[in-house]
Amino acid sequence: MNENPTAELDGPDLDHDTEQRDDAIVGRALRWSLAVILPAVCAGAGILYALSRPAQPPPVKESALAEVEVRRPVPVEIPRVIFTDVTAEAGIHFVHENGADGAKLLPETMGGGCAFLDFDADGDQDLLLVNSRSWPWDLRGTRDRRPTMALYRNNGSGQFDDVTAGSGLDVSLYGMGAAVGDYDRDGRVDVFLSAVGPNCLFRNLGDGKFLDVTEQAGVAGETDAWSTSCGWFDYDNDGDLDLFVCNYVRWSREDDVAQDFQLTGGGRAYGRPQNFGGTFPYLYRNEGDGTFQDVSAEAGIQIRNPNTGVPMAKSLGVTFTDPDGDGWLDVVVANDTVQNFLFHNRRDGTFEEIGSPSGLAFDMDGNARGAMGIDAACFRNNDALGVAIGNFANEMTALYVAYGSGMQFTDEAVATGLGPNTRLVLTFGVCFVDYDLDGRPDLFAANGHLEDEINRVQPSQSYEQAPQLFWNCGAEQATEFLPVGAADSGEELLEPTVGRGASFADLDGDGDQDLLITAIARPPRLLRNDQQLGHHWLRLKLEGTSSNRDAIGAWVEVHASDRIQRQQVMPTRSYLSQAELPVTFGLGRTARVDKVVIRWPGAPTQELTGLAVDRTHLVRQSRE
């Protein structure tokens, strides 16, 4: 028998009932909880959505489109101004000698320059042509003549007499460029010649005679240097002219020959500047007693490569201007395959090189170009200063433009139309010149390659290349500089040559600018301006008293009608060359000048009124 029958029969049934009751209670609680929680969650989500929902966009309203201004250039027509080659007719029979004997030495393809100067002080522009010579090691019997410089005196009507013999300039050296200026303030213009080897300074004695004073003056430079463009300027505003001389590369015959430069497809080639070392330019301070002090190092113009410490400059072109308008001349140097320099005058006898931060050093992609000639001008008749630099083939001519006194330049060659039309040619000399006397400076360029066989390896290139003339049609036009074709300039202007120097002067006294191109191993080309547009003009020859006698660096403003033109007295421009000292202002149809304002270097401003047009005026600096 069981001892506890109740325990055996009743225990399991009670546990089962309890579990069922508990599950029912939990289920009811869960259902009630869900019934309460779910509506609350849904309500919260609705409130959150309502609060975060983006605002409804306003109804779309149609509005009239604004009128878009389209720049529509005024139709322009290039004026017809014929240039006539009068070289032989004018009595110029010079032929440049470069000494080439087949060895293809680099200097043979780089010279020589020219200078317009009034060496006899009779009021018209005479002409100096720089020659090179045969190499001293050339023993061929065919070199029986002795090439010299050539000095031509203008008779006032554009006819020239060769007065070289006995002038003192009938010297033979491997000449490159010329700089002309009255460094001793005696009223007679003196001549400096740059060369491969020692440079030379000739003092004008009057009566057509020049004396070599190089040794006394101390401006020969290094005996193994290769000097190129050069110029006189008063960098310290003390009233006398100082001298700046570019040097190209560290060159020797032995170094050139040893590198065995070759054209594609065979044959000796002229060397590249990249294969030669850099140099330093010279800055000579005029001591006022006929001597000069070389202040290149202390003045801060000796620039070294920051990575290697070697001299950087490979300079071919130089001009002087004043981008910041502080009355002190700065120096702009065109370098070949290395960055261009802008030496900012600190007004304490020193310069700071700011080419890179100013935007003048490189092209738009940050690359150095093969820079040769250079010029600067206020080509828009406002506060814009343009610096034009001629570059190597397949590198367009640069046109760096700065506004106001900010010293910040932008290359506007493409925007002005100058770039695309200069890309193929190899440009040496460049100069701003108002050839049609309409009051806007135009641009003239001398072109020519280095290699006489270049067409064999580059079909797009030729040794002889046509000069280029660009008409400035005004900043309001979409294309500012238009290339002038033969129909509007004459066939003779655009005759191809191996151009190097380019310059201008009024040689026949008719008020317009005649052009000159020098060439390698060829005669120069003197191109008479035969414009007949009926445009008026004003020419000013300045003479300093407290400022340097040539007034180099002076700014002249001509106020006529509603336009103000600004030009600087600056003969140093282009490539290896010098332009005339008088400044010419084209007036177009305007027959009256309101006033002329002259900002003399380091001296007070002078204002003139009542100047007649269509004539040249001699203006002496007032002594107030």
Side-chain angles (χ1 to χ4, degrees):
M1 293 180 65
N2 292 332
E3 294 180 357
N4 190 3
T6 305
E8 289 181 0
L9 296 175
D10 297 339
D13 290 338
L14 289 172
D15 290 342
H16 179 70
D17 292 341
T18 301
E19 289 177 0
Q20 287 182 333
R21 285 194 301 270
D22 291 344
D23 288 343
I25 293 169
V26 170
R28 286 194 299 272
L30 180 61
R31 287 193 295 273
W32 277 106
S33 297
L34 290 174
V36 173
I37 292 172
L38 282 176
V41 169
C42 292
I47 294 171
L48 180 62
Y49 173 76
L51 292 175
S52 61
R53 184 178 58 183
Q56 291 293 324
V60 176
K61 295 182 179 179
E62 294 186 4
S63 58
L65 295 176
E67 289 290 332
V68 178
E69 285 192 28
V70 179
R71 185 181 180 186
R72 292 186 174 88
V74 178
V76 295
E77 183 177 347
I78 296 175
R80 190 169 189 267
V81 176
I82 301 301
F83 287 85
T84 306
D85 188 335
V86 295
T87 311
E89 175 188 332
I92 297 172
H93 304 289
F94 173 87
V95 178
H96 178 259
E97 171 64 67
N98 68 340
D101 60 3
K104 286 200 170 181
L105 304 177
L106 187 55
E108 295 168 359
T109 192
M110 302 302 290
C114 63
F116 285 113
L117 71 166
D118 184 7
F119 77 87
D120 53 2
D122 64 352
D124 52 43
Q125 297 301 305
D126 309 304
L127 175 61
L128 173 67
L129 294 166
V130 181
N131 211 349
S132 301
R133 66 181 180 190
S134 57
W135 295 110
W137 52 80
D138 183 0
L139 303 178
R140 295 179 299 165
T142 57
R143 302 299 174 100
D144 56 352
R145 69 183 184 90
R146 178 176 170 268
T148 71
M149 310 303 115
L151 182 64
Y152 288 94
R153 182 175 57 214
N154 189 344
N155 68 4
S157 63
Q159 293 292 313
F160 292 87
D161 297 317
D162 188 339
V163 295
T164 310
S167 67
L169 294 177
D170 49 347
V171 295
S172 184
L173 66 155
Y174 208 97
M176 284 282 139
V180 295
D182 182 7
Y183 78 87
D184 54 1
R185 299 181 61 89
D186 64 356
R188 296 186 291 265
V189 62
D190 309 298
V191 174
F192 177 85
L193 296 176
S194 63
V196 178
N199 303 316
C200 296
L201 175 62
F202 297 89
R203 182 170 176 245
N204 190 338
L205 303 178
D207 297 323
K209 304 296 181 183
F210 290 82
L211 177 67
D212 187 339
V213 294
T214 311
E215 184 176 354
Q216 171 193 340
V219 292
E222 301 176 26
T223 58
D224 60 349
W226 176 357
S227 297
T228 54
S229 291
C230 45
W232 299 98
F233 74 130
D234 185 6
Y235 81 93
D236 50 7
N237 278 348
D238 65 352
D240 53 33
L241 290 175
D242 311 296
L243 179 63
F244 190 97
V245 183
C246 293
N247 286 311
Y248 187 32
V249 294
R250 182 61 64 182
W251 178 88
S252 70
R253 176 199 182 195
E254 294 73 22
D255 192 18
D256 200 330
V257 172
Q259 297 190 62
D260 192 27
F261 301 104
Q262 295 288 316
L263 285 169
T264 302
R268 170 76 177 173
Y270 285 106
R272 306 184 312 151
Q274 295 96 322
N275 293 76
F276 298 91
T279 59
F280 294 137
Y282 302 137
L283 176 60
Y284 296 104
R285 185 183 63 216
N286 191 335
E287 299 296 280
D289 58 0
T291 67
F292 292 80
Q293 182 70 30
D294 186 344
V295 295
S296 309
E298 53 263 47
I301 66 164
Q302 294 185 343
I303 306 302
R304 296 181 181 273
N305 186 306
N307 298 317
T308 64
V310 302
M312 180 186 291
K314 297 182 179 181
S315 306
L316 288 175
V318 64
T319 193
F320 313 106
T321 188
D322 185 16
D324 58 351
D326 64 355
W328 296 72
L329 284 174
D330 308 305
V331 185
V332 192
V333 177
N335 283 315
D336 190 4
T337 70
V338 297
Q339 67 185 64
N340 301 317
F341 295 151
L342 172 55
F343 292 108
H344 181 225
N345 194 329
R346 287 172 163 164
R347 299 183 288 181
D348 60 359
T350 67
F351 293 84
E352 178 186 10
E353 203 290 296
I354 59 169
S356 185
S358 73
L360 267 169
F362 304 104
D363 68 9
M364 291 183 291
D365 296 321
N367 300 314
R369 289 183 276 202
M372 266 75 76
I374 187 170
D375 197 7
C378 294
F379 68 99
R380 287 178 178 150
N381 292 325
N382 55 18
D383 65 351
L385 176 71
V387 176
I389 299 180
N391 292 308
F392 203 76
N394 301 311
E395 297 175 343
M396 59 190 176
T397 292
L399 182 59
Y400 298 104
V401 183
Y403 296 87
S405 58
M407 300 285 280
Q408 291 296 314
F409 289 84
T410 303
D411 191 348
E412 298 187 10
V414 173
T416 59
L418 188 64
N421 290 296
T422 58
R423 185 178 296 278
L424 283 180
V425 293
L426 198 165
T427 300
F428 276 86
V430 292
C431 46
F432 287 101
V433 53
D434 182 7
Y435 76 93
D436 62 336
L437 299 177
D438 67 350
R440 294 186 297 264
D442 312 296
L443 192 71
F444 179 59
N447 305 318
H449 213 281
L450 305 183
E451 292 286 351
D452 55 1
E453 296 183 293
I454 189 62
N455 186 253
R456 180 168 64 85
V457 296
Q458 293 186 35
S460 65
Q461 293 296 314
S462 58
Y463 185 45
E464 294 183 329
Q465 298 181 357
Q468 290 177 300
L469 181 62
F470 293 91
W471 181 56
N472 183 348
C473 61
E476 66 276 8
Q477 300 300 319
T479 302
E480 198 164 347
F481 283 96
L482 299 178
V484 181
D488 295 313
S489 65
E491 299 281 352
E492 296 177 359
L493 174 69
L494 304 182
E495 184 70 25
T497 188
V498 191
R500 293 299 181 259
S503 192
F504 60 85
D506 178 12
L507 299 177
D508 47 12
D510 62 355
D512 54 37
Q513 306 287 281
D514 308 299
L515 305 175
L516 182 78
I517 307 169
T518 67
I520 290 289
R522 286 160 172 75
R525 300 245 309 276
L526 181 61
L527 298 152
R528 187 184 64 211
N529 186 334
D530 291 328
Q531 69 87 22
Q532 298 179 357
L533 301 173
H535 288 171
H536 298 288
W537 49 273
L538 180 73
R539 279 172 60 83
L540 300 170
K541 170 65 171 70
L542 273 56
E543 184 179 299
T545 53
S546 62
S547 299
N548 70 85
R549 189 177 177 91
D550 292 326
I552 291 174
W555 283 93
V556 184
E557 291 182 359
V558 170
H559 298 240
S561 186
D562 58 349
R563 179 162 57 179
I564 301 175
Q565 297 184 53
R566 297 179 69 236
Q567 286 192 48
Q568 188 179 33
V569 179
M570 185 49 60
T572 301
R573 59 180 74 208
S574 187
Y575 172 74
L576 305 177
S577 301
Q578 304 270 285
E580 64 175 352
L581 271 174
V583 289
T584 297
F585 290 87
L587 301 174
R589 298 294 179 181
T590 302
R592 178 178 177 273
V593 169
D594 300 320
K595 66 177 178 179
V596 172
V597 178
I598 302 172
R599 306 185 189 282
W600 298 91
T605 296
Q606 185 174 349
E607 187 171 311
L608 306 169
T609 56
L611 296 182
V613 302
D614 300 334
R615 60 173 294 184
T616 300
H617 298 268
L618 174 63
V619 181
R620 291 186 174 89
Q621 183 180 9
S622 62
R623 297 183 180 273
E624 297 178 2

